[in-house]
Structures are given as C-alpha cells and as structure tokens.
Amino acid sequence: MLTPEDDAYWRRYHVTPRYLAGSLGADDDPSLQPFVDLDWPRHPIDDDLGKDVFVSPDGRLRIGFFGDDYILWNIAAYEDPFGPRRWAATFNQNTPPEIVAAFTTALARDYEDGNNRFLARPPMRWHEQTRPLTEAGWTRGWGAETGTVEIIAPDKQAGILIDIRCQDPEDEQCLLWSGPPGWGTRAEATFTTRAPAHLVAATAAAMADPAPLVRYERSIPRGLRDLVQLTPVEPPPPAKPTPLDVRRTAVTQAVERAFRSSSTSPPCRGRPRPDHAAEPSAFSRLSSAASSAAKHPRQLRSAWPASVAHPSLAPPNPSRPATWAPPATLRNRPSHHVQPPWRPDWNRPHPVSAETSRTAPLASR
C-alpha cells in the first residue's frame, strides 16, 4: 500500500474515459467555482439542500453542497423565491466534479444573461437532451422498459435513461449514470421532469467529451481501475542504477576509450612493410620463365630459377658418371624391355660418340 512518503503516491495520471474518473475528494473542486466567481453569498445553514448553500441574489437559484454524503450536490430552481421549486438536479459522490462543473457553468451563464432560460420549459421530445451523446457515437439500447429511452456508451459503462411517462414535477425523469452498480462505483446525476433540456445536454456533453481527466491513482475507486486507462501526466523518473549496471557502464566506457585511442594513434615509424604488390610472386616468375624457355630452349637453365630447377636440368656433377647405366635390377630382364633414352645436357658436349644408338638393347644373359 502506498504511503505519502512514496513518490508514486503523488503521481498524477490522465484517466480515460472521464466519466469513470471518480471524485476529486478534498482536492481542487471546480463544481462551485462559477458561483464563487459571481460573489454569491454562501450560507452554512445545513438544511435539506446541504451544509453549504449558495443562493442567487434574487433567491431563485439555490445550490447546496453536503461534502460528506452520498448526494454531494443538490440544486434547485424557483420561479418565486417563496414558492415551490420548479425543478431539481442532484449529483452523487462518485460523479466527477468536472462533469458537475459543466452543469453549474451553464446554469450560472443562464442566470447572468438575464433571460430566465434556466426556467425554460422542457421539450416535448427527448432528442435535444441526448443529442451530444448520439453525436459522440453512443447508441440506443433497445432492452429498456416500455415508456423509457436509454442511450448507451460504446463500452457499456455509461448511459442516460429517460422516463417519458413522468408527469409530476417532482418525479426524476432523467438519469445520467456511469460505472458498474455499487455504492463506491456508480456515478448518478438525476433531473426532475421540468429541468431544462439544454442543461441536461450540457451535462451529457461533458460525459461524452473524449478529453481525459487528471487524477491521483489513489483517488480512483478500486472497482473502476480495471475499466480505465491511466497515462502518467509526467514520465516517471529513471530507475536508480544497480551495482551491476555501474560495472557494465564502466566496462563499456573503457572499451570505447581504448577503441578511440587505437584509431587515432600515429603510424609506426619502424621498418616499412614490403610492397607485395610491386614484388612479382613466385607463380608469375615461373610463368615468365616457362614462356621464355618455349621460345629459347638453350637458355632454359639460365632462365629457370635455380630454386625450382628440375634435377635433370641442373649443372653436371663431377662425382656422377656422365653416361647413363641401367640399374642392376633391370640388366637381367628380357631384351624387349627397352630403357628410356638418355637425355643429354644441351649446353655440354657428351663423351659418347654420335654413332652410339640410343636404343641399344640390353646385354643378354
């Protein structure tokens, strides 16, 4: 449970839809501000109207506020200050004060205009009272009792119920409601039979207004919290970093500094690296030597690199006999086995005479 020492206790939220926002409690209540602005006298009489009552200068409007009861606002209008009341309106403790303020603002404006519009007769049909709701997308519910009209909000959590059978001036003909049934969740505003239609419509328009209301989370009834959408007025402060977060941040910053220092360090002044692109590779040297040998066979030994020269093309070895002799294992073979021809050294005259046949047969057994 939150306490006043917690930051979340004082965190404010935008509440949508507004008719489920609940009361403001002891916070700034705008419902009676229009009469305060008009300097109407305030009487702490504690009668049937309320504990505090605002009375118009001519006595024809009386606005009572109980403050700690189920019916918080009790408003009455009179044609004669000393005669019976013409109409009455009530709002219970679950009604958002901003919606009550829409009614009281329109009532104070009618009185200031001086045209007695707040005493206008109600229309013969109910469409004027419900027009702001139908224009906002609310639809008629056909499950109402015969002789009544009900307009329901899209989320089924608010509506208006009009009993067109009422004829007595004291009957509550119109009921604006929101929230599920229950003492702490259902908001209700009632209007008697002769209440002017434009004042009911002003209250209905405030209910259908899509603008959110600002509330502390603790002020929203628990039975309504699952039905509303809460958006923080101010973003919550960032969470305090844990010791693990601090270590991770330090390692990340160290890696970034090392990377920046290595990328901006001056070039090495030591021995320059060899230019491999300018030096021909071993494969390219072999290719050029092979092509040169094909054109000039006599220059093969000089053109071929010594590191890769074939053994048969190497310079003569004094310790090795110049003539080729077959191995002993081949001397006793049949005569049809002919040894491969001797491969001469093209750059050196061979001691064997030219008349010697290269394909001389081997000695017989």
Side-chain angles (χ1 to χ4, degrees):
M1 182 177 180
L2 298 177
T3 61
E5 288 74 19
D6 299 327
D7 293 339
Y9 186 86
W10 304 103
R11 190 172 300 157
R12 300 185 302 167
Y13 294 87
H14 289 295
V15 183
T16 307
R18 57 170 24 213
Y19 47 76
L20 297 178
S23 177
L24 277 172
D27 296 325
D28 298 334
D29 189 338
S31 60
L32 302 177
Q33 190 62 38
F35 310 113
V36 175
D37 296 339
L38 294 177
D39 292 330
W40 286 13
R42 184 172 184 173
H43 306 282
I45 57 180
D46 195 9
D47 61 2
D48 293 340
L49 281 176
K51 293 182 178 181
D52 292 326
V53 179
F54 286 88
V55 182
S56 63
D58 59 4
R60 293 188 300 168
L61 282 178
R62 301 171 187 176
I63 296 90
F65 182 72
F66 282 98
D68 58 354
D69 204 345
Y70 182 74
I71 301 299
L72 290 189
W73 296 270
N74 196 347
I75 304 168
Y78 302 82
E79 289 182 332
D80 186 344
F82 304 100
R85 68 181 184 182
R86 179 173 179 81
W87 58 264
T90 62
F91 300 86
N92 73 348
Q93 91 283 7
N94 296 321
T95 307
E98 293 86 349
I99 296 178
V100 182
F103 176 86
T104 56
T105 300
L107 180 61
R109 186 187 310 114
D110 288 348
Y111 183 84
E112 282 296 295
D113 291 342
N115 53 13
N116 293 333
R117 193 184 179 193
F118 64 93
L119 298 176
R121 295 184 178 275
M124 297 298 297
R125 298 181 62 84
W126 47 267
H127 296 84
E128 182 180 351
Q129 299 168 326
T130 61
R131 183 176 295 112
L133 302 179
T134 56
E135 291 178 353
W138 296 29
T139 56
R140 183 173 181 178
W142 297 102
E145 184 181 353
T146 302
T148 62
V149 177
E150 189 172 21
I151 308 296
I152 305 296
D155 61 356
K156 312 299 182 184
Q157 296 298 328
I160 183 173
L161 180 64
I162 302 175
D163 190 346
I164 58 179
R165 301 168 297 183
C166 294
Q167 300 297 328
D168 192 300
E170 296 297 324
D171 289 342
E172 293 181 351
Q173 183 188 43
C174 182
L175 170 66
L176 271 167
W177 61 272
S178 65
W183 185 89
T185 55
R186 174 63 68 95
E188 292 182 349
T190 63
F191 305 89
T192 58
T193 304
R194 295 183 179 180
H198 71 280
L199 295 179
V200 179
T203 311
M207 290 188 64
D209 189 352
L213 298 180
V214 178
R215 292 288 188 274
Y216 295 107
E217 184 179 4
R218 66 178 186 275
S219 67
I220 302 174
R222 292 185 178 274
L224 300 178
R225 293 182 184 179
D226 295 336
L227 303 176
V228 298
Q229 180 180 357
L230 302 180
T231 305
V233 175
E234 299 176 356
K240 297 181 180 179
T242 62
L244 180 59
D245 295 335
V246 174
R247 289 196 296 269
R248 288 176 177 174
T249 304
V251 171
T252 302
Q253 294 176 352
V255 171
E256 292 178 353
R257 288 195 300 269
F259 178 78
R260 288 196 298 267
S261 62
S262 61
S263 60
T264 58
S265 59
C268 180
R269 297 184 179 180
R271 182 179 179 181
R273 297 179 179 179
D275 188 1
H276 296 285
E279 180 181 357
S281 62
F283 179 79
S284 61
R285 293 196 302 270
L286 291 176
S287 301
S288 61
S291 60
S292 176
K295 297 179 181 179
H296 307 283
R298 294 286 181 178
Q299 301 178 2
L300 178 61
R301 186 175 61 180
S302 60
W304 201 274
S307 59
V308 294
H310 196 274
S312 63
L313 303 178
N317 190 355
S319 62
R320 181 181 178 182
T323 58
W324 178 84
T329 56
L330 299 179
R331 293 176 183 175
N332 297 329
R333 292 191 179 185
S335 60
H336 63 273
H337 288 280
V338 180
Q339 299 298 325
W342 172 77
R343 182 174 299 174
D345 188 353
W346 294 322
N347 295 331
R348 180 181 179 186
H350 202 273
V352 183
S353 61
E355 291 78 6
T356 305
S357 174
R358 297 182 182 180
T359 59
L362 295 176
S364 58
R365 297 181 182 181

